[in-house]
Amino acid sequence: MNYKHLTVFALAAALTLGSCNEKKQEPAKQSLPQGATEQAMTIRYVDGDTIMEKYNLAKDLNESMLRRQNQLDAAQQQRSTEINKFGSTMQQKYKNNQYLTQESFNSDQAKLQKMQSDAQTYLGKMQQSIQSEYAQNSRQLQDSISNYLKVYAKEKGFDMVLLKSATLYADPKFDVTNEVVEGLNKRYNKVSKK
């Protein structure tokens, strides 16, 4: 699993779910109240990669996931080394005729299989824990961005904030990424390290 960018998917989901006004649009032609004029939508966009790179919450969560991945890698390496060492010892004993009975050999073989099984179980649980933490972090990041964008769009009078990568072309004058990152970082309270 690569946690380099915690999840651009979470960001895309946050922007999709949280950036539009929550009013449902009626299809087809709708008559306007007397004296009202039709108004153009006000749309802006943000660059998801820049938000993931500069939003302190995203950076902290990414660092947390990298630490967890490093812990998993270290545990895998440690278990692998222990198993390989015991396997080599068994091989040497067998080669040098140090197993005096079949029972002694079978006992070591059972121990090796148990070591492998225990390692697989331990590492599997650790991987599940990391995946669960990743999903929780993704939800937290998505909620944070979505909630901020709702407030931000309402304050600025924007009808919609799109993700730049979801558009074919957008004039750079409509890019509000830096403003959004600044606002996100202002309201972010650093989480304690896990």
Side-chain angles (χ1 to χ4, degrees):
M1 221 179 223
N2 183 354
Y3 300 104
K4 183 176 181 191
H5 291 290
L6 182 55
T7 178
V8 174
F9 175 74
L11 176 63
L15 293 170
T16 303
L17 297 174
S19 62
C20 300
N21 284 345
E22 294 180 16
K23 296 182 253 176
K24 291 194 176 191
Q25 300 293 325
E26 294 292 323
K29 299 174 185 174
Q30 206 175 13
S31 61
L32 297 172
Q34 215 169 17
T37 59
E38 198 168 318
Q39 204 174 8
M41 285 183 96
T42 306
I43 301 173
R44 297 293 184 267
Y45 72 89
V46 294
D47 183 343
D49 290 338
T50 301
I51 289 177
M52 297 304 290
E53 201 175 286
K54 294 184 177 180
Y55 180 25
N56 292 332
L57 174 62
K59 292 191 292 189
D60 287 347
L61 293 176
N62 187 46
E63 286 175 20
S64 171
M65 293 314 302
L66 287 173
R67 277 193 304 278
R68 294 285 282 141
Q69 185 63 46
N70 289 338
Q71 289 171 353
L72 176 63
D73 293 345
Q76 287 174 325
Q77 182 62 41
Q78 179 187 359
R79 297 293 169 117
S80 178
T81 300
E82 290 170 359
I83 291 168
N84 288 338
K85 184 177 178 181
F86 187 76
S88 293
T89 301
M90 273 186 66
Q91 199 171 33
Q92 280 302 109
K93 283 173 76 173
Y94 185 78
K95 194 177 186 180
N96 296 331
N97 292 323
Q98 291 178 331
Y99 285 110
L100 301 177
T101 65
Q102 184 66 35
E103 189 177 277
S104 168
F105 175 76
N106 290 345
S107 174
D108 277 357
Q109 196 168 27
K111 181 178 178 179
L112 180 63
Q113 288 173 348
K114 182 167 180 6
M115 287 173 73
Q116 292 169 333
S117 175
D118 290 350
Q120 188 175 7
T121 300
Y122 175 78
L123 296 172
K125 286 180 182 178
M126 194 173 188
Q127 181 67 38
Q128 285 177 337
S129 172
I130 290 171
Q131 288 174 344
S132 175
E133 185 176 334
Y134 177 78
Q136 180 182 347
N137 289 349
S138 295
R139 282 189 303 274
Q140 181 183 359
L141 183 61
Q142 178 183 339
D143 289 348
S144 176
I145 294 169
S146 178
N147 291 334
Y148 177 75
L149 283 174
K150 286 177 187 176
V151 171
Y152 173 79
K154 188 173 183 175
E155 284 176 0
K156 296 291 186 172
F158 300 151
D159 296 303
M160 198 178 303
V161 178
L162 301 174
L163 190 58
K164 180 181 179 182
S165 63
T167 61
L168 295 174
Y169 171 76
D171 192 315
K173 70 182 178 188
F174 297 112
D175 184 351
V176 293
T177 304
N178 291 334
E179 235 179 90
V180 168
V181 168
E182 185 179 322
L184 284 165
N185 284 333
K186 276 184 183 175
R187 73 176 197 148
Y188 171 60
N189 295 319
K190 189 171 178 76
V191 292
S192 60
K193 289 191 178 187
K194 294 179 183 180

